[in-house]
C-alpha cells in the first residue's frame, strides 16, 4: 500500500492507550475513534494516549455507521468486551460498511468451537462485503504461535501442558466479573462452578447453545488443534475459584475482596485428540496480591521433555502489539472470518505498516 494505513479505534478504554500509540508509531493514521462511554465521547484521542491534541475526537458508538462511512478506514481495532456475542454488533457494523476489523476479545482468536452460529453469520457477512474479520492479542502469540513453533522442534509429543496467569485489574470490569472476582464462594459455585462435573458432550452442548461462556483456554485448545492438525475427540473444562488470605482492594471492581472469598478463577481445559496428544491448559485470572505477577509456563511431554517459562510478560502491551502486528495479514487475507490459526506468523514491523499490505487475498 503506497499511502498511510487508515485506522479507527473501536473502544477507547485502557487498552486503546497502547493501540492508538502503537499504530501511530508504526506510521498509520487514526481517522476516527468510537466509544459508548459518555465520559470519553468528545475527547481528543491525544488526551487518551497522553499526547498533544491530534485533532481526532471520540465519536459515540451509536453513530458508528456514519463515522465509518465518512472516514472510510482500512481497518477497525475493536477493544471492548471478551466474547463474540459481545462484539458481534460491532463486527457487523464494520462489515456492512466495508471495513476490515480485528478484535482482542479473547474468544475472537478461535470462536469456531464456542460460538459457531455467531461466527458463521459473521463469516458470511464478511464474505458478502469483501472484508476480513479476525481476533488476536496475547493468547494468539503466547498460547498459540509460540507453542506451535516449539512443537515443531519435538521428536514426539504425548501431552502439552500450559499455565498462564494475568491480573484482572488490567482488563476492566467485564473480564473481572467473568472470572468471578468479588463473588462469594457460594455465588461462584452457583454461577460458574456448577458445570464442572458435566461430561464432554454435555459441556459442548451448553457451550454451543450459549448457556456456558467457556474460558479462554477452551478456544485456545481449539486453535492449537486446528493449527497443529490435531483432531479433538473430547474436551472438558473445570473452573475453580482462587483465594487470598488477606483483603484485596480492587479498583476495577470498586470494592475490597474479603479474605477467603474468590479473587478470580482457575480455568482448566483438557482436550483429548485422536492422535494421542493431550492438551491440558489452564488460565488463572484474579485480582493480584502484592507478590503476584504474570507468568506463562508450558511443558511438552514426550521426547525430549521441554519447558518454557515466560515470567512477568507485559501482557497488556503484548496484547496490543501482537494485534497491531496482525493487521497486515488481516488485510492481505481472503474475505471472511479468518481466525488467526489460518494467518501467517507475525513479522517485526521494520518499515511503516502500510508497506506490508498488498490486499493479495482480496483480489
Amino acid at each position: 500500500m503506497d499511502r498511510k494505513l487508515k485506522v479507527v479505534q473501536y473502544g477507547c478504554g485502557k487498552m486503546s492507550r497502547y493501540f492508538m500509540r502503537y499504530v501511530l508509531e508504526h506510521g498509520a493514521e487514526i481517522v476516527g475513534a468510537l466509544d459508548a462511554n459518555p465520559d470519553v465521547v468528545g475527547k481528543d484521542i491525544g488526551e487518551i494516549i497522553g499526547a498533544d491534541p491530534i485533532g481526532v475526537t471520540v465519536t459515540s458508538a451509536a453513530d458508528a455507521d456514519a463515522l465509518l462511512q465518512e472516514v472510510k478506514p482500512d481497518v477497525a481495532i475493536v477493544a471492548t468486551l471478551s466474547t463474540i456475542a459481545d462484539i458481534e454488533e460491532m463486527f457487523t457494523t464494520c462489515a456492512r460498511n466495508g471495513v476490515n476489523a480485528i478484535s482482542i476479545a479473547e474468544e475472537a482468536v478461535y470462536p469456531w468451537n464456542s460460538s459457531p452460529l455467531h461466527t458463521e453469520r459473521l463469516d458470511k457477512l464478511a464474505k458478502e462485503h469483501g472484508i476480513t474479520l479476525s481476533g488476536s492479542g496475547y493468547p494468539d502469540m503466547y498460547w498459540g504461535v509460540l507453542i506451535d513453533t516449539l512443537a515443531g522442534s519435538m521428536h514426539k509429543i504425548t501431552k502439552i501442558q500450559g499455565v498462564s496467569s494475568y491480573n484482572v485489574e488490567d482488563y476492566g470490569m467485564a473480564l473481572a466479573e467473568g472470572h468471578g472476582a468479588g463473588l462469594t464462594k457460594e455465588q461462584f459455585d452457583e454461577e460458574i462452578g456448577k458445570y464442572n462435573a458435566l461430561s464432554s458432550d454435555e459441556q459442548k452442548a451448553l457451550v454451543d447453545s450459549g448457556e456456558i461462556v467457556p474460558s479462554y483456554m477452551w478456544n485456545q485448545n481449539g486453535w492449537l488443534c486446528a493449527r497443529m492438525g490435531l483432531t479433538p475427540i473430547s474436551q472438558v473444562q473445570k473452573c475453580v475459584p482462587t483465594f487470598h488470605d488477606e483483603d484485596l482492594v480492587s479498583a476495577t471492581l470498586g470494592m475490597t475482596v474479603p479474605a477467603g472469598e474468590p479473587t478470580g478463577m482457575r480455568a482448566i481445559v483438557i482436550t483429548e485428540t485422536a492422535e494421542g496428544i493431550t492438551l491440558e491448559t489452564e488460565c488463572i485470572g484474579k485480582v493480584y496480591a502484592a507478590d503476584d505477577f504474570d507468568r506463562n509456563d508450558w511443558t511438552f511431554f514426550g521426547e525430549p521433555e521441554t519447558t518454557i517459562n515466560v515470567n512477568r510478560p507485559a501482557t497488556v502491551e503484548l496484547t496490543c502489539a501482537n494485534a497491531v502486528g496482525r493487521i497486515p495479514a488481516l488485510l492481505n487475507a481472503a474475505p471472511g472470518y479468518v481466525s488467526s490459526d489460518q494467518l501467517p506468523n507475525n513479522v517485526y514491523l521494520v518499515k511503516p505498516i502500510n508497506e506490508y499490505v498488498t490486499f493479495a487475498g482480496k483480489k
Side-chain angles (χ1 to χ4, degrees):
M1 181 191 291
D2 58 3
R3 59 168 174 79
K4 283 191 172 187
L5 189 72
K6 296 192 294 182
V7 178
V8 159
Q9 178 65 42
Y10 210 137
C12 297
K14 292 181 178 181
M15 307 296 279
S16 75
R17 293 176 294 176
Y18 296 98
F19 270 127
M20 292 192 285
R21 180 164 64 83
Y22 290 176
V23 297
L24 289 170
E25 291 178 2
H26 279 302
E29 178 184 8
I30 299 175
V31 296
L34 293 159
D35 201 281
N37 183 355
D39 294 334
V40 176
V41 172
K43 282 188 177 181
D44 188 280
I45 61 173
E47 180 180 351
I48 295 172
I49 65 175
D52 293 333
I54 291 172
V56 176
T57 57
V58 180
T59 298
S60 170
D63 299 320
D65 284 297
L67 176 72
L68 296 176
Q69 291 169 18
E70 177 187 352
V71 301
K72 295 181 171 42
D74 300 298
V75 62
I77 298 171
V78 179
T80 52
L81 299 171
S82 292
T83 71
I84 285 294
D86 290 334
I87 67 167
E88 182 174 14
E89 182 179 352
M90 301 166 209
F91 264 2
T92 297
T93 299
C94 291
R96 69 174 175 241
N97 285 287
V99 178
N100 302 279
I102 191 164
S103 175
I104 56 168
E106 288 82 2
E107 188 185 11
V109 172
Y110 190 84
W112 299 103
N113 69 345
S114 55
S115 296
L117 297 180
H118 293 284
T119 311
E120 287 164 8
R121 281 198 299 268
L122 289 170
D123 181 56
K124 180 180 179 182
L125 186 66
K127 288 173 178 174
E128 288 173 355
H129 291 273
I131 60 94
T132 309
L133 303 172
S134 192
S136 186
Y138 179 84
D140 178 17
M141 175 59 69
Y142 288 87
W143 303 349
V145 172
L146 177 64
I147 309 313
D148 174 53
T149 301
L150 291 172
S153 70
M154 297 286 293
H155 167 64
K156 182 177 182 179
I157 299 173
T158 58
K159 180 179 178 180
I160 300 175
Q161 186 176 61
V163 180
S164 187
S165 67
Y166 43 89
N167 188 355
V168 298
E169 292 287 284
D170 293 335
Y171 300 94
M173 177 74 76
L175 184 140
E177 291 181 340
H179 283 67
L183 297 178
T184 65
K185 288 184 289 242
E186 293 75 19
Q187 289 171 328
F188 189 100
D189 290 341
E190 174 59 29
E191 296 178 24
I192 298 175
K194 64 181 179 180
Y195 304 107
N196 287 345
L198 298 181
S199 69
S200 173
D201 288 343
E202 290 171 326
Q203 287 193 1
K204 183 179 184 303
L206 292 175
V207 167
D208 287 348
S209 71
E211 184 170 337
I212 295 179
V213 177
S215 74
Y216 307 146
M217 288 304 185
W218 185 278
N219 304 102
Q220 203 63 43
N221 283 13
W223 191 105
L224 285 168
C225 286
R227 184 66 166 246
M228 296 175 65
L230 300 174
T231 309
I233 55 176
S234 73
Q235 183 160 294
V236 292
Q237 170 180 284
K238 184 176 182 180
C239 296
V240 296
T242 57
F243 304 102
H244 191 63
D245 57 6
E246 297 179 356
D247 292 354
L248 290 179
V249 176
S250 170
T252 295
L253 292 170
M255 66 175 288
T256 296
V257 180
E261 295 291 359
T263 61
M265 76 174 181
R266 297 170 53 223
I268 304 105
V269 179
I270 299 174
T271 306
E272 303 290 349
T273 70
E275 292 76 17
I277 296 175
T278 299
L279 304 179
E280 183 178 315
T281 55
E282 176 179 351
C283 56
I284 306 169
K286 61 182 181 178
V287 178
Y288 275 7
D291 58 350
D292 287 322
F293 57 88
D294 285 6
R295 63 190 182 96
N296 188 48
D297 306 323
W298 292 79
T299 297
F300 297 81
F301 295 90
E303 185 181 348
E305 184 173 313
T306 304
T307 296
I308 182 171
N309 307 108
V310 184
N311 288 331
R312 303 184 188 276
T315 309
V316 170
E317 292 92 328
L318 289 169
T319 290
C320 298
N322 195 68
V324 171
R326 278 287 189 203
I327 289 174
L330 175 87
L331 298 180
N332 294 337
Y337 196 107
V338 182
S339 49
S340 64
D341 60 289
Q342 302 175 59
L343 297 175
N345 290 353
N346 280 5
V347 297
Y348 182 68
L349 301 176
V350 177
K351 300 176 288 187
I353 193 169
N354 58 284
E355 295 190 33
Y356 297 85
V357 177
T358 63
F359 293 111
K362 294 185 169 63
K363 290 182 180 178

